[in-house]
Amino acid sequence: MTHPHPGRTVLATAAAALSVTGALLSAPPATADGAAPAEVSPHAAQTIDDIGASGAWWVNDLQHFAPAVQARVAQLLFSSQGLDLSSYRYNIGGGGTAVTTSARAA
């Protein structure tokens, strides 16, 4: 299986290792009855293949910016020089009850 973003697997593994290390370093010592802290496997239990974000309505205003600015925003969101998102969600909607600005309604 190929991963479109192999660096994410490494990043997820590193994040997991750091969280485990922090927990182990701050864990209380074994109790007097000989109970030791649980051992944690060094092997990844899961990988993250894709990651996305949600931004609601701010992109409505982006249409008023120059194409170069729009392209820069796209680069910051979706390229490896930026956040490297694989998806972006735009206002799926929550009903729009009592929304007075039509551009903000779902």
Side-chain angles (χ1 to χ4, degrees), residues 52-66 68-78 83 85 87-92 101 103-105:
S54 176
W57 304 284
W58 69 270
V59 292
N60 286 349
D61 299 322
L62 190 61
Q63 69 179 330
H64 303 293
F65 285 79
V69 174
Q70 294 172 355
R72 178 69 177 138
V73 169
Q75 180 184 26
L76 289 171
L77 289 173
F78 299 108
L83 296 175
L85 298 176
S87 64
Y88 183 84
R89 180 179 76 147
Y90 171 79
N91 188 25
I92 290 176
T101 306
R104 305 290 193 251

Side-chain angles (χ1 to χ4, degrees), residues 7-69:
R8 290 205 177 111
T9 302
V10 173
L11 180 60
T13 303
L18 286 173
S19 67
V20 168
T21 302
L24 290 176
L25 290 176
S26 63
T31 60
D33 65 0
E39 291 187 31
V40 178
S41 172
H43 305 289
Q46 64 183 12
T47 59
I48 299 172
D49 291 329
D50 300 297
I51 191 162
S54 176
W57 304 284
W58 69 270
V59 292
N60 286 349
D61 299 322
L62 190 61
Q63 69 179 330
H64 303 293
F65 285 79
V69 174

